[in-house]
Amino acid sequence: MSARENILARIGKTRGPAAAVDVDLAIRRHQRGPIPPMGNDLVKRFCEQATRLASDVAQTAMTADVPNIVAGYLRERQLPMKGVCWPAMAPLGWRDAGIEIEARAAHGNDLVGVTGAFLGIAETGTLMLLSGVQTPATVSLLPETHIALVEAGRIVATMEQAWDRLRVERGALPRAVNFISGPSRTADIEQTVTLGAHGPYRVLIIIVG
C-alpha cells in the first residue's frame, strides 16, 4: 500500500466504511474559491504578470526562431554563449545561432539553463514544471539564467486549472512539481528584496505560437 492509499484508508476508517471510497470524489467536488476575472487573452495576461515578477518575456510564432532570440538575449546582457538544456530542446539550431548547448542535468558551474514548461498560469505569470528523467529540475534551479519555452496554447487561467490539466494528461503526479514565478528572491535581510538568492538571477520566458 502506498503512503497516499494508507492516508486515505485511515481517513476513511475515521469517517466510516462508505467514506473510504468517496474521499477522492469529495476532493474533486470540493467547492473552489472565487476566481478573479482575467479576460479572454490569457497570453497577454500571462505576459503582464510575468513582467511584474521581473521575468523577461519574448514571443515568437516559430520554435525555429528560439535559438536566435536566446542568442540576442545573452549577447545583450554579456552572458556566456553556452549552457545546458532538457533533451527535448537539443535538436534546435543552437550552434547556428552561436550557442553551445549540452543536453544534460545542470551542475553548479553551468550559468545558463534552457527548459520547456508543462504549463503557464496566466493569473500569476507562473511556470509549471514537472520533474522527470527528461526534465531534470537542476536545469531551471542551478544556473544564474533560466530560459523557459512555453507554448501559447498551454497557458491556462488559474492554478486550479493547471492541477486539473495535470491530472487529466498525466494521471499520477510526478515526484516533484515546481512553480517558478520570476527570478529567485528574498527579503530576509532588512526587508530589502534581493534577486538570485536561492536560484536564478534572471528568467527569460519565450512564448511560442
Side-chain angles (χ1 to χ4, degrees), residues 8-9 11-23:
L8 293 177
I11 293 174
K13 184 177 181 181
T14 301
R15 298 181 59 197
V21 180
D22 296 335
V23 171

Side-chain angles (χ1 to χ4, degrees), residues 109-187:
N109 57 349
D110 291 312
L111 300 181
V112 177
V114 183
T115 74
F118 181 68
L119 294 172
I121 302 173
E123 182 179 5
T124 56
T126 298
L127 296 170
M128 183 182 194
L129 278 66
L130 311 183
S131 67
V133 175
Q134 300 299 314
T135 56
T138 55
V139 179
S140 66
L141 299 176
L142 290 183
E144 293 181 355
T145 300
H146 175 209
I147 298 169
L149 281 61
V150 60
E151 296 177 18
R154 296 193 65 81
I155 295 177
V156 298
T158 65
M159 180 76 71
E160 291 86 348
Q161 289 181 6
W163 283 110
D164 289 343
R165 188 85 166 258
L166 174 58
R167 292 186 182 98
V168 169
E169 293 188 9
R170 295 297 180 92
L173 295 177
R175 185 170 186 178
V177 178
N178 292 313
F179 293 99
I180 298 174
S181 301
S184 169
R185 68 194 70 204
T186 184

Side-chain angles (χ1 to χ4, degrees), residues 56 69 71-80 145 202 204:
D56 297 307
I69 293 174
Y73 182 85
L74 296 178
R75 289 194 186 100
E76 182 180 335
R77 288 156 181 79
Q78 299 182 341
L79 299 172
T145 300
R202 61 191 70 81
L204 170 64

